[in-house]
Amino acid sequence: DADVTQTPRNRITKTGKRIMLECSQTKGHDRMYWYRQDPGLGLQLIYYSFDVKDINKGEISDGYSVSRQAQAKFSLSLESAIPNQTALYFCATSDPTTGGPPDTQYFGPGTRLTVL
Amino acid sequence: KQEVTQIPAALSVPEGENLVLNCSFTDSAIYNLQWFRQDPGKGLTSLLLIQSSQREQTSGRLNASLDKSSGRSTLYIAASQPGDSATYLCAAGGWGGSYIPTFGRGTSLIVHP
């Protein structure tokens, strides 16, 4: 089984609808991230969480919100979806080395979201 | 703000060639540099991670080097194969309090038989 899973894998919705993307991990990592990827562009950070009580905005958080329900679960919501939020969304986890910065990031398979 | 640039944006080569993919970053104060592979419509898979104190890492036919002083990293792929066709992204991890990596836009590689 995959260590980082995302549901749904594909979603088509209409402008103005509320959408929730879910991420679960079995790696036991404290740190979780949500990224967005648009064609030909790098990954842009939306939100990140270093533990259940620590949620931080990334570079493009407007129009998004998150919930860290447990160490293993991190959800991303679009309160009122708009067409320019059409993109590929990735969840990732990492595990900080003892006394140091985070190490490798592990990514989920992605959710392809289309907003009509 | 850290900026990461990858050149070339796209590359098409015949099978068997040795390749060099380039990654440059503007802020040399990084704690690591990571290379990822992304297949079309799929997630990212970590290939190599170089800590700031290291100069290079190797895995099979892949070798990644890091020169912090010049703000550059290269990914060397030996004897390329069609199965190497994918997008390769680099990410520079900064020393800011949150340690969030900054990603380049990637190099799209096609290796044709």
Side-chain angles (χ1 to χ4, degrees), chain A residues 9 31 33 35 37 40-43 45 48 50 59 88 90 97 100-110 112, chain B residues 1 31-32 34 36 38 40-46 49 51 89 91 94-95 97-101 103-106:
Chain A
R9 294 294 312 279
R31 301 189 178 201
Y33 312 77
Y35 291 93
Q37 186 179 42
L41 299 181
L43 274 71
L45 182 65
Y48 61 100
F50 283 177
E59 54 189 314
L88 193 55
F90 289 105
T97 55
D103 206 28
T104 300
Q105 284 192 313
Y106 298 88
F107 282 78
R112 184 170 297 282
Chain B
K1 178 185 176 184
Y31 66 84
N32 67 27
Q34 193 164 0
F36 293 88
Q38 184 178 24
K42 301 292 180 64
L44 281 69
T45 300
S46 178
L49 183 146
Q51 300 291 358
L89 295 94
W95 275 111
S98 56
Y99 309 126
I100 300 298
F103 285 82
R105 297 187 176 192

Side-chain angles (χ1 to χ4, degrees), chain A residues 27-103:
Chain A
K27 299 189 76 65
H29 290 172
D30 286 328
R31 301 189 178 201
M32 299 187 73
Y33 312 77
W34 275 105
Y35 291 93
R36 146 178 194 158
Q37 186 179 42
D38 295 277
L41 299 181
L43 274 71
Q44 296 175 281
L45 182 65
I46 308 172
Y47 271 94
Y48 61 100
S49 169
F50 283 177
D51 63 43
V52 175
K53 296 182 180 180
D54 180 46
I55 305 282
N56 304 279
K57 293 183 178 181
E59 54 189 314
I60 57 163
S61 59
D62 288 348
Y64 301 93
S65 63
V66 291
S67 172
R68 185 80 184 267
Q69 301 95 323
Q71 184 203 39
K73 296 184 182 296
F74 193 34
S75 300
L76 176 71
S77 294
L78 288 68
E79 297 300 326
S80 180
I82 56 177
N84 74 3
Q85 290 178 314
T86 293
L88 193 55
Y89 290 85
F90 289 105
C91 174
T93 73
S94 68
D95 182 22
T97 55
T98 301
D103 206 28

Side-chain angles (χ1 to χ4, degrees), chain B residues 7-54:
Chain B
I7 295 174
L11 188 60
S12 180
V13 299
E15 182 176 7
E17 280 203 4
N18 299 323
L19 309 172
V20 175
L21 307 183
N22 297 294
C23 172
S24 61
F25 45 93
T26 55
D27 185 351
S28 62
I30 63 171
Y31 66 84
N32 67 27
L33 191 293
Q34 193 164 0
W35 284 92
F36 293 88
R37 169 182 172 140
Q38 184 178 24
D39 292 289
K42 301 292 180 64
L44 281 69
T45 300
S46 178
L47 296 173
L48 291 165
L49 183 146
I50 312 173
Q51 300 291 358
S52 61
S53 58
Q54 299 173 324

Side-chain angles (χ1 to χ4, degrees), chain B residues 46-105:
Chain B
S46 178
L47 296 173
L48 291 165
L49 183 146
I50 312 173
Q51 300 291 358
S52 61
S53 58
Q54 299 173 324
R55 293 298 297 256
E56 64 178 337
Q57 283 286 328
T58 298
S59 176
R61 293 183 295 108
L62 305 180
N63 175 275
S65 66
L66 174 63
D67 184 345
K68 283 178 50 181
S69 62
S70 66
R72 294 179 183 276
S73 177
T74 60
L75 178 66
Y76 176 82
I77 303 176
S80 59
Q81 303 171 357
D84 294 330
S85 298
T87 297
Y88 292 81
L89 295 94
C90 67
W95 275 111
S98 56
Y99 309 126
I100 300 298
T102 301
F103 285 82
R105 297 187 176 192

Side-chain angles (χ1 to χ4, degrees), chain A residues 6-25:
Chain A
Q6 293 183 234
T7 56
R9 294 294 312 279
N10 289 282
R11 182 71 183 268
I12 300 173
T13 191
K14 295 182 179 181
T15 297
K17 294 291 187 180
R18 184 178 187 274
I19 297 298
M20 178 179 287
L21 309 182
E22 298 186 340
C23 176
S24 295
Q25 53 113 347

